[in-house]
């Protein structure tokens, strides 16, 4: 029996939908990825992987942004950048030379927090999520989120305020 | 009377700092120059040469057997159930015998997943390494068959050798023009097999004849450099994009800059 390429192809609308999703969410994802990792190269890899996952599962993803957020948070916790890609030029450009010293200093401390604490801080204060939503994104209990946030704030306070 | 100025809380400072840093993060659509390699990768590559040679030998034998089987059957075409080969078999020269009647001696080189970004046409066409673990639904051979069956190819004479790489492909200067004069690319970070023909002599190019199967959709901004037989250039680079998941031939582009 001859192979019918049409039966093998996704619906015609899928690439267009995905392109729209990419346009709608790529800058936001790049920013979240950077804040979660503090590394534009790693953020770029994670964002690419997150969008690839979204492409594969687009047919059963109701909320692309929530999917991307959760994927980025999880990948940022377990991924380390591949050494072989370290010299790659980056498409995600962080112009931190244009940022105030105070903000740079604070974000530097955030980036040095343990991954879960960092994720809680970014999701709470950049994404504006509540404890329940953060718990869903991280896949942990609300109590854990509270504890992580408390420890992170204590540490930030010590680092910044002395 | 004195006023006590209450400093912002650590939470307020955090919120402001994160937003301020994020506001200065952008995504550069056209990276100016990508490094063509680095020392650590060169060392790693050297270590893989022997393994690749073994894989190449096994593949050459396998494809030879497969080619014989293909010519002996009337059932050609893609096999959707065939698992995609991993990207470790790069640099394997394969003599393919696709069912197309367009050419009986076409050849391609499977270079596997791209490891170093490439740009063409002064950055308007960019190929990025696909994410680690990304698996195409099509093998290079499948993609090559789609190419020979469905793409509009401009060769006057014998088809040159295609080099197939797996990449995230973007063509930023070609696509429907929006009302504000910006261009929405047809292909934007698409996971694709890209067939690259390099150093194609102008004498072997007839006419591109548009942008392949997706050409003509909406109002199209033409590519900045079109290949034509009257361009007076000695050689060209010609790229054909095949969706790595669906097998659809997405586009074909030519450039005088490699």
């Amino acid at each position: 029996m001859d192979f019918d390429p049409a039966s093998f192809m996704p619906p015609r609308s899928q690439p267009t939908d995905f392109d729209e999703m990419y346009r709608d969410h790529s800058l936001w994802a790049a920013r979240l990825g950077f804040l979660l990792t503090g590394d534009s190269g790693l953020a770029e890899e994670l964002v690419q992987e997150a969008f690839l996952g979204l492409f594969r599962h687009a047919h059963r993803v109701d909320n692309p942004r929530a999917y991307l957020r959760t994927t980025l948070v999880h990948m940022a916790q377990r991924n380390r950048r591949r050494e072989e890609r370290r010299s790659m030029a980056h498409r995600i450009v962080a112009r931190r030379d244009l940022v105030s010293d105070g903000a740079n200093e604070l974000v530097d401390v955030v980036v040095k927090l343990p991954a879960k604490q960092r994720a809680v801080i970014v999701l709470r204060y950049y994404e504006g999520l509540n404890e329940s939503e953060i718990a869903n994104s991280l896949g942990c209990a609300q109590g854990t989120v509270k504890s992580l946030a408390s420890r992170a704030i204590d540490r930030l306070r010590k680092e910044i305020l002395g | 009377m004195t006023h006590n100025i209450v400093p912002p809380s650590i939470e307020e400072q955090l919120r402001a700092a994160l937003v301020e840093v994020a506001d200065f993060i952008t995504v550069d659509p056209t990276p100016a120059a990508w490094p063509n390699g680095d020392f650590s990768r060169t060392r790693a590559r050297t270590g893989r040469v022997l393994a690749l040679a073994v894989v190449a030998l096994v593949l050459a034998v396998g494809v030879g057997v497969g080619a014989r089987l293909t010519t002996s059957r009337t059932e050609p075409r893609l096999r959707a159930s065939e698992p995609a080969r991993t990207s470790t078999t790069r640099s394997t020269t394969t003599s393919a015998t696709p069912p197309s009647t367009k050419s009986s001696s076409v050849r391609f080189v499977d270079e596997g997943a791209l490891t170093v970004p490439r740009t063409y046409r002064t950055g308007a066409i960019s190929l990025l390494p696909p994410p680690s673990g990304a698996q195409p639904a099509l093998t290079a051979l499948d993609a090559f068959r789609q190419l020979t069956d469905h793409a509009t190819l401009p060769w006057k004479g014998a088809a040159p050798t295609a080099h197939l790489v797996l990449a995230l492909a973007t063509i930023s200067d070609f696509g429907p023009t929006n009302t504000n004069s910006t261009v929405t690319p047809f292909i934007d970070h698409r996971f694709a097999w890209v067939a690259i023909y390099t150093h194609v002599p102008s004498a072997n190019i007839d006419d591109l004849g548009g942008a392949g199967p997706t050409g003509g959709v909406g109002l199209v901004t033409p590519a900045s450099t079109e290949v034509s037989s009257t361009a007076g250039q000695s050689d060209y680079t010609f790229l054909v994009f095949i969706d790595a998941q669906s097998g659809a031939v997405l586009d074909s582009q030519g450039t005088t800059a490699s």
Side-chain angles (χ1 to χ4, degrees), chain B residues 102-135:
Chain B
K102 290 176 184 172
S103 172
S104 59
S105 60
V106 288
R107 294 172 65 85
F108 73 94
V109 177
D110 175 8
E111 296 192 352
L114 196 65
T115 55
V116 178
R118 297 182 191 174
T119 59
Y120 297 88
R121 206 161 60 215
T122 61
I125 300 172
S126 75
L127 306 181
L128 297 175
S132 57
Q135 289 294 323

Side-chain angles (χ1 to χ4, degrees), chain B residues 196-222:
Chain B
I196 305 171
Y197 299 88
T198 55
H199 305 298
V200 180
S202 58
N204 194 20
I205 294 177
D206 188 6
D207 183 18
L208 270 182
T214 55
V217 178
L219 184 59
V220 172
T221 296

Side-chain angles (χ1 to χ4, degrees), chain A residues 1-3 5 8-10 12 15 19 22-23 26-27 30-31 34-35 44 48-49 52 55-56 82-85 87-96 98-100 103-104 106-107 110 121-122 124-126 153 156-157 160-161, chain B residues 10-11 13-15 17-29 31 33-35 38 40-41 74-78 80 117 128-135 137-138 146 150 168 184 186 188-191 214 245-248:
Chain A
M1 191 178 79
D2 281 353
F3 170 71
F8 186 44
M9 294 177 186
R12 188 74 179 164
D19 289 347
Y22 185 83
R23 274 195 298 277
S26 57
L27 180 59
R31 289 173 170 174
F34 181 86
L35 293 177
E44 185 173 330
Q48 283 183 11
E49 287 192 36
L52 194 62
F55 180 79
R56 285 179 179 148
R82 291 176 172 220
E83 191 63 33
E84 66 192 38
R85 294 189 186 176
S87 66
M88 192 188 288
H90 303 145
R91 293 182 69 246
I92 294 178
V93 181
R95 290 298 309 272
R96 297 192 65 181
L98 302 176
V99 176
S100 67
N104 265 331
L106 198 45
V107 170
V110 171
I121 291 296
V122 171
R124 179 78 188 90
Y125 297 106
Y126 178 67
I153 291 290
L156 287 166
R157 195 173 273 124
I160 298 297
L161 305 177
Chain B
I10 187 76
E11 288 86 356
Q13 289 181 53
L14 258 177
R15 193 172 287 117
L18 290 167
V19 169
E20 185 179 342
V21 169
D23 280 348
F24 286 102
I25 295 170
T26 58
V27 178
D28 181 3
W34 300 91
D38 68 63
S40 62
R41 188 157 45 246
T74 55
E75 180 213 311
R77 309 280 178 161
L78 298 174
L128 297 175
S132 57
Q135 289 294 323
L138 272 71
Q146 287 291 90
H150 300 294
L168 291 180
T184 301
F186 275 138
D188 195 357
H189 291 80
R190 186 71 68 89
F191 186 38
T214 55
Q245 303 297 358
S246 71

Side-chain angles (χ1 to χ4, degrees), chain A residues 39-54:
Chain A
D39 180 326
S40 55
L42 176 55
E44 185 173 330
E45 286 184 32
L46 300 190
V47 169
Q48 283 183 11
E49 287 192 36
F51 270 103
L52 194 62
L54 178 61

Side-chain angles (χ1 to χ4, degrees), chain A:
Chain A
M1 191 178 79
D2 281 353
F3 170 71
D4 175 13
S7 66
F8 186 44
M9 294 177 186
R12 188 74 179 164
S13 62
Q14 187 176 338
T16 305
D17 293 344
F18 184 75
D19 289 347
E20 281 172 13
M21 276 196 277
Y22 185 83
R23 274 195 298 277
D24 290 346
H25 303 302
S26 57
L27 180 59
W28 163 81
R31 289 173 170 174
L32 180 61
F34 181 86
L35 293 177
L36 288 169
T37 62
D39 180 326
S40 55
L42 176 55
E44 185 173 330
E45 286 184 32
L46 300 190
V47 169
Q48 283 183 11
E49 287 192 36
F51 270 103
L52 194 62
L54 178 61
F55 180 79
R56 285 179 179 148
H57 303 122
H59 58 288
R60 56 187 169 92
V61 172
D62 291 331
N63 185 340
R65 187 166 283 218
Y67 174 90
L68 290 168
R69 181 192 296 121
T70 302
T71 306
L72 284 170
V73 166
H74 282 276
M75 287 193 303
Q77 287 177 52
R78 69 167 188 263
N79 269 288
R80 290 291 174 267
R81 194 167 175 212
R82 291 176 172 220
E83 191 63 33
E84 66 192 38
R85 294 189 186 176
R86 200 164 281 280
S87 66
M88 192 188 288
H90 303 145
R91 293 182 69 246
I92 294 178
V93 181
R95 290 298 309 272
R96 297 192 65 181
D97 53 319
L98 302 176
V99 176
S100 67
D101 290 344
N104 265 331
E105 192 182 344
L106 198 45
V107 170
D108 280 343
V109 179
V110 171
V111 165
K112 287 177 193 160
L113 290 172
K116 279 197 173 177
Q117 289 183 27
R118 184 168 66 236
V120 168
I121 291 296
V122 171
L123 294 178
R124 179 78 188 90
Y125 297 106
Y126 178 67
E127 286 287 280
L129 302 189
N130 60 34
E131 283 173 357
S132 166
E133 291 167 325
I134 296 172
N136 279 339
S137 286
L138 287 174
C140 65
Q142 282 191 50
T144 308
V145 172
K146 263 185 192 168
S147 163
L148 288 166
S150 172
R151 272 183 278 160
I153 291 290
D154 281 351
R155 185 161 169 179
L156 287 166
R157 195 173 273 124
K158 276 181 200 161
E159 293 268 354
I160 298 297
L161 305 177

